Amino acid sequence: MKKVTITLEEKVLEFVDRQAKGNRSNYINQLLKENHQKQLEKEIIEALQEDIKNKEYQEEIEAWNAVIGDGVE
């Protein structure tokens, strides 16, 4: 883990201190992890939506689905 210095507005710092229950780093880390997870989920959803719109990709998926049960390993 790396240690960094950040500058926060006074009201933001007061909010962090109220929420952090004595551990600012843990609180901010948790918020950033959650935000990162949400961003990744959003990007995955967008990519899947693009796949759905891609006719060539959908045709390829259909072709592969046709051989799923053929027993070839």
Side-chain angles (χ1 to χ4, degrees), residues 62-72:
E62 286 298 318
W64 279 105
N65 283 342
V67 297
I68 286 176
D70 66 4
V72 176

Side-chain angles (χ1 to χ4, degrees), residues 10-44:
E10 190 172 326
K11 288 184 178 188
V12 172
L13 181 58
E14 289 170 4
F15 173 78
V16 168
D17 285 341
R18 284 193 310 270
Q19 300 301 310
K21 299 179 179 129
N23 192 337
R24 288 177 183 162
S25 292
N26 187 52
Y27 178 72
I28 292 171
N29 267 308
Q30 191 60 39
L31 285 177
L32 292 173
K33 283 180 190 178
E34 290 171 10
N35 188 277
H36 183 239
Q37 183 66 32
K38 287 177 185 176
Q39 182 64 35
L40 288 175
E41 289 172 3
K42 179 183 173 200
E43 291 173 9
I44 290 169

